[in-house]
Amino acid sequence: MDLPNSHTATDGSAVIRVLSYNIRSLRDDEEALVRVIRACAPDLVFVQEAPRFFRWRKHAARLAAKSELVVLSGGATAAGPLLLCSLRAFVERTEDVLLPLTPGRHRRGFATAVVRFGAARMGVVSAHLSLDAAERRAQAELLLDRLAAMGAPHGIAAGDINEGPAGPSFTRLAGALQDCRAVAPWGGESTFPSRAPERRIDAVFATRGVEVLACGVPAGLPGLTPADFSSATDHLPVLAALRVPAAP
């Protein structure tokens, strides 16, 4: 099955492509990463492990420009999650959120925004949850709280969950939201590690009013080889096509 292309319908609803991608702070083959992102033709990119240190804004802007996108929110000010978007997006507001810090552990955060495509309005959250199980479970609750508080009729959250679908945090998110891969499987399933994937720890979630058309690790996209995926970063991306209704 071919992945639906992005478009806005006459009733104001929008089909959008959403990409979730852990890019490992651009420590790998950046040109391969750009090839993957461009081949996916996303409207929104939910990035994890964006550059956070020296000249991080310059690095994020360079990645966006090479990918024919723009920086929406996040980066170091969200402790790593980043949002990129196409010029189709109308941006209402953005906010970078730092989560409570557990001493001795890595700081986590959310990159968030409220955007519109046509008359379809949605809140979006890019997240990278903790390696610690208890902290990860608390962060999953904070993610759901944040998405619900954004005041948009629809919501999309995506990121590196750091556990598979059987884990308590993943299960909590999939119970409150749609696990897009489970709803409409397309392409590959496992996302980590990129060279020999055996675990599905990256995911796209959507609120119930969003129609999931397809979701999975991209497969068969023109111009890409398996080497592009394994060279780009240590995770495989998750690409979803979603139909978002027009706001009332």
Side-chain angles (χ1 to χ4, degrees), residues 65-111:
K66 285 183 176 181
S67 305
E68 299 183 341
L69 301 165
V70 295
V71 174
L72 178 53
S73 69
T77 47
L82 175 74
L83 287 165
L84 308 178
C85 66
S86 72
L87 293 178
R88 286 185 68 210
F90 178 88
V91 182
E92 289 191 9
R93 66 179 187 273
T94 66
E95 184 178 3
D96 300 333
V97 179
L98 291 175
L99 301 182
L101 175 64
T102 301
R105 297 205 181 114
H106 177 67
R107 189 71 183 255
R108 304 284 174 173
F110 300 145

Coordinates of all heavy atoms in Angstrom, one line a residue, residues 65-111:
A65 N 16.8 23.3 7.1 CA 17.0 23.9 5.8 C 17.3 22.8 4.7 O 16.8 22.8 3.6 CB 18.1 25.0 5.8
K66 N 18.2 21.9 5.1 CA 18.6 20.8 4.2 C 17.4 19.9 3.9 O 17.3 19.3 2.8 CB 19.7 20.0 4.8 CG 21.1 20.6 4.7 CD 22.1 19.7 5.3 CE 23.6 20.2 5.2 NZ 24.5 19.2 5.7
S67 N 16.5 19.8 4.9 CA 15.4 18.9 4.8 C 14.2 19.6 4.2 O 13.1 19.1 4.1 CB 15.0 18.4 6.1 OG 16.1 17.7 6.7
E68 N 14.3 20.9 3.8 CA 13.3 21.7 3.2 C 12.1 21.9 4.2 O 10.9 21.9 3.9 CB 12.7 21.2 1.9 CG 13.8 21.1 0.8 CD 13.3 20.6 -0.5 OE1 12.3 19.9 -0.6 OE2 14.0 20.8 -1.5
L69 N 12.5 22.2 5.5 CA 11.6 22.4 6.6 C 12.1 23.6 7.3 O 13.1 24.2 7.0 CB 11.5 21.2 7.5 CG 11.1 19.9 6.8 CD1 11.5 18.7 7.7 CD2 9.6 19.9 6.5
V70 N 11.3 24.0 8.4 CA 11.7 25.1 9.3 C 11.6 24.6 10.7 O 10.9 23.6 11.0 CB 10.9 26.3 9.1 CG1 11.1 26.9 7.7 CG2 9.4 26.0 9.4
V71 N 12.4 25.2 11.6 CA 12.3 24.9 13.0 C 11.1 25.4 13.6 O 10.7 26.6 13.5 CB 13.6 25.4 13.8 CG1 13.4 25.2 15.3 CG2 14.8 24.8 13.3
L72 N 10.3 24.6 14.3 CA 9.1 25.0 15.0 C 9.3 25.3 16.4 O 8.9 26.4 16.9 CB 8.0 23.9 14.8 CG 6.6 24.1 15.4 CD1 6.0 25.4 14.9 CD2 5.7 22.9 15.0
S73 N 9.9 24.4 17.2 CA 10.1 24.6 18.6 C 11.1 23.5 19.1 O 11.4 22.6 18.4 CB 8.8 24.6 19.4 OG 8.3 23.3 19.5
G74 N 11.6 23.7 20.3 CA 12.4 22.7 21.0 C 13.9 22.9 20.7 O 14.4 23.9 20.3
G75 N 14.6 21.8 21.0 CA 16.1 21.8 21.0 C 16.6 21.8 22.4 O 16.1 21.1 23.3
A76 N 17.7 22.5 22.6 CA 18.3 22.5 24.0 C 17.3 23.0 25.0 O 17.4 22.6 26.2 CB 19.6 23.4 24.0
T77 N 16.5 24.0 24.7 CA 15.5 24.5 25.6 C 14.4 23.6 26.0 O 13.7 23.8 27.0 CB 14.9 25.8 25.0 OG1 14.4 25.5 23.7 CG2 15.9 27.0 25.0
A78 N 14.3 22.4 25.3 CA 13.4 21.3 25.7 C 14.2 20.1 26.1 O 13.6 19.0 26.2 CB 12.4 21.0 24.6
A79 N 15.5 20.3 26.3 CA 16.4 19.2 26.7 C 16.5 18.1 25.6 O 16.7 16.9 25.9 CB 16.0 18.5 28.0
G80 N 16.3 18.4 24.4 CA 16.6 17.5 23.3 C 15.5 17.3 22.3 O 15.7 17.3 21.1
P81 N 14.2 17.2 22.7 CA 13.1 17.1 21.7 C 13.0 18.4 20.9 O 13.2 19.5 21.4 CB 11.9 16.9 22.6 CG 12.3 16.2 23.8 CD 13.7 16.9 24.0
L82 N 12.7 18.2 19.6 CA 12.7 19.3 18.6 C 11.5 19.0 17.7 O 11.2 17.9 17.4 CB 14.0 19.3 17.8 CG 14.1 20.3 16.7 CD1 14.3 21.7 17.2 CD2 15.3 19.9 15.8
L83 N 10.9 20.1 17.2 CA 9.8 20.0 16.2 C 10.2 20.8 15.0 O 10.6 21.9 15.1 CB 8.5 20.6 16.8 CG 7.7 19.7 17.8 CD1 6.7 20.6 18.5 CD2 7.1 18.5 17.1
L84 N 10.1 20.1 13.8 CA 10.3 20.8 12.5 C 8.9 20.7 11.8 O 8.1 19.8 12.0 CB 11.3 20.1 11.7 CG 12.7 19.8 12.3 CD1 13.6 19.1 11.4 CD2 13.4 21.1 12.8
C85 N 8.7 21.7 10.9 CA 7.5 21.6 10.1 C 7.7 22.2 8.7 O 8.7 22.9 8.4 CB 6.4 22.5 10.8 SG 6.7 24.2 10.9
S86 N 6.8 21.8 7.8 CA 6.8 22.3 6.5 C 6.1 23.7 6.5 O 5.5 24.1 7.5 CB 6.0 21.4 5.5 OG 4.6 21.4 5.8
L87 N 6.2 24.4 5.3 CA 5.6 25.7 5.2 C 4.1 25.6 5.1 O 3.4 26.6 5.1 CB 6.2 26.4 4.0 CG 7.7 26.8 4.2 CD1 8.2 27.5 3.0 CD2 7.9 27.7 5.4
R88 N 3.5 24.4 5.0 CA 2.1 24.2 5.0 C 1.5 24.6 6.4 O 0.3 24.9 6.5 CB 1.7 22.8 4.8 CG 1.8 22.3 3.3 CD 1.3 20.9 3.2 NE -0.2 20.9 3.4 CZ -0.9 19.8 3.9 NH1 -0.2 18.8 4.3 NH2 -2.2 19.9 4.0
A89 N 2.3 24.5 7.4 CA 1.8 24.7 8.8 C 1.6 26.2 9.1 O 2.5 27.0 8.9 CB 2.8 24.1 9.8
F90 N 0.4 26.5 9.8 CA 0.2 27.8 10.4 C 0.4 27.6 11.9 O -0.3 26.8 12.5 CB -1.2 28.3 10.1 CG -1.5 29.6 10.7 CD1 -1.2 30.8 10.1 CD2 -2.0 29.7 12.0 CE1 -1.4 32.0 10.7 CE2 -2.3 30.9 12.6 CZ -2.0 32.1 11.9
V91 N 1.4 28.3 12.4 CA 1.8 28.1 13.8 C 1.0 29.1 14.7 O 1.1 30.3 14.5 CB 3.3 28.3 14.0 CG1 3.7 28.1 15.4 CG2 4.0 27.4 13.0
E92 N 0.3 28.6 15.6 CA -0.4 29.5 16.6 C 0.4 29.8 17.8 O 0.5 31.0 18.2 CB -1.7 28.8 17.1 CG -2.8 28.7 16.1 CD -4.1 28.2 16.7 OE1 -4.2 28.2 17.9 OE2 -5.1 27.9 15.9
R93 N 1.1 28.8 18.4 CA 2.0 29.1 19.5 C 2.9 27.9 19.7 O 2.6 26.8 19.3 CB 1.2 29.4 20.8 CG 0.4 28.2 21.3 CD -0.4 28.6 22.6 NE -1.0 27.5 23.2 CZ -2.2 27.1 22.9 NH1 -2.9 27.7 22.0 NH2 -2.8 26.0 23.6
T94 N 4.0 28.1 20.4 CA 4.9 27.1 20.8 C 5.3 27.2 22.2 O 5.2 28.3 22.8 CB 6.2 27.1 19.9 OG1 6.9 28.3 20.2 CG2 5.9 27.1 18.4
E95 N 5.8 26.1 22.8 CA 6.3 26.2 24.2 C 7.2 25.0 24.4 O 6.9 23.9 24.1 CB 5.1 26.1 25.2 CG 5.6 26.2 26.7 CD 4.5 26.2 27.7 OE1 3.3 26.0 27.3 OE2 4.7 26.3 28.9
D96 N 8.4 25.3 25.0 CA 9.3 24.3 25.4 C 9.2 24.0 26.9 O 9.2 25.0 27.7 CB 10.8 24.7 25.1 CG 11.0 25.0 23.6 OD1 10.2 24.4 22.8 OD2 11.8 25.8 23.3
V97 N 9.1 22.7 27.3 CA 8.7 22.4 28.6 C 9.9 21.5 29.2 O 10.2 20.5 28.6 CB 7.4 21.6 28.7 CG1 7.1 21.1 30.1 CG2 6.3 22.4 28.0
L98 N 10.4 21.9 30.3 CA 11.4 21.1 31.0 C 10.7 20.3 32.1 O 9.9 20.8 32.9 CB 12.5 21.9 31.6 CG 13.4 22.6 30.6 CD1 14.4 23.5 31.4 CD2 14.2 21.5 29.8
L99 N 10.9 19.0 32.2 CA 10.3 18.1 33.2 C 11.1 18.1 34.5 O 12.3 18.5 34.5 CB 10.2 16.7 32.6 CG 9.4 16.6 31.3 CD1 9.3 15.1 30.8 CD2 8.0 17.2 31.4
P100 N 10.5 17.7 35.6 CA 11.2 17.6 36.8 C 12.5 16.8 36.7 O 12.5 15.7 36.1 CB 10.2 16.9 37.8 CG 8.9 17.3 37.2 CD 9.1 17.3 35.7
L101 N 13.5 17.2 37.3 CA 14.9 16.6 37.2 C 15.1 15.7 38.4 O 15.0 16.1 39.6 CB 16.0 17.6 37.1 CG 17.4 17.1 37.1 CD1 17.7 16.2 35.9 CD2 18.4 18.2 37.2
T102 N 15.4 14.4 38.1 CA 15.8 13.5 39.2 C 17.3 13.6 39.3 O 18.0 13.4 38.3 CB 15.4 12.1 38.8 OG1 14.0 12.0 38.7 CG2 15.8 11.1 39.9
P103 N 17.9 13.9 40.5 CA 19.3 14.0 40.6 C 20.1 12.8 40.1 O 19.7 11.7 40.3 CB 19.5 14.2 42.1 CG 18.2 14.8 42.6 CD 17.2 14.2 41.7
G104 N 21.1 13.1 39.3 CA 21.9 12.0 38.7 C 21.4 11.4 37.4 O 22.0 10.6 36.8
R105 N 20.2 11.9 36.9 CA 19.7 11.4 35.7 C 19.6 12.5 34.6 O 19.8 13.7 34.9 CB 18.3 10.9 35.9 CG 18.2 9.7 36.8 CD 17.0 8.8 36.6 NE 17.1 7.7 37.5 CZ 16.2 7.5 38.5 NH1 15.2 8.3 38.6 NH2 16.3 6.4 39.3
H106 N 19.4 12.2 33.4 CA 19.4 13.1 32.3 C 18.1 13.9 32.3 O 17.1 13.4 32.6 CB 19.5 12.3 31.0 CG 19.4 13.2 29.7 ND1 20.4 14.0 29.4 CD2 18.4 13.3 28.8 CE1 20.0 14.6 28.3 NE2 18.8 14.2 27.9
R107 N 18.3 15.2 32.1 CA 17.1 16.1 32.0 C 16.3 15.8 30.8 O 16.8 15.6 29.7 CB 17.6 17.6 32.0 CG 16.4 18.6 32.2 CD 16.0 18.6 33.6 NE 14.9 19.4 33.9 CZ 15.0 20.6 34.6 NH1 16.2 21.0 35.0 NH2 13.9 21.3 34.9
R108 N 15.0 15.8 31.0 CA 14.0 15.5 29.9 C 13.1 16.7 29.7 O 12.9 17.5 30.6 CB 13.2 14.3 30.2 CG 14.0 13.0 30.5 CD 14.6 12.4 29.2 NE 15.5 11.3 29.5 CZ 16.0 10.5 28.6 NH1 15.8 10.7 27.3 NH2 16.8 9.5 28.9
G109 N 12.5 16.8 28.6 CA 11.5 17.8 28.3 C 10.6 17.5 27.1 O 10.8 16.4 26.5
F110 N 9.7 18.4 26.8 CA 8.8 18.3 25.6 C 9.0 19.5 24.8 O 9.0 20.7 25.2 CB 7.3 18.2 26.1 CG 7.0 17.1 27.0 CD1 6.0 17.3 28.0 CD2 7.6 15.9 26.9 CE1 5.7 16.3 28.9 CE2 7.2 14.8 27.7 CZ 6.3 15.0 28.7
A111 N 9.0 19.3 23.4 CA 8.8 20.4 22.5 C 7.4 20.4 22.1 O 6.9 19.4 21.6 CB 9.7 20.2 21.3

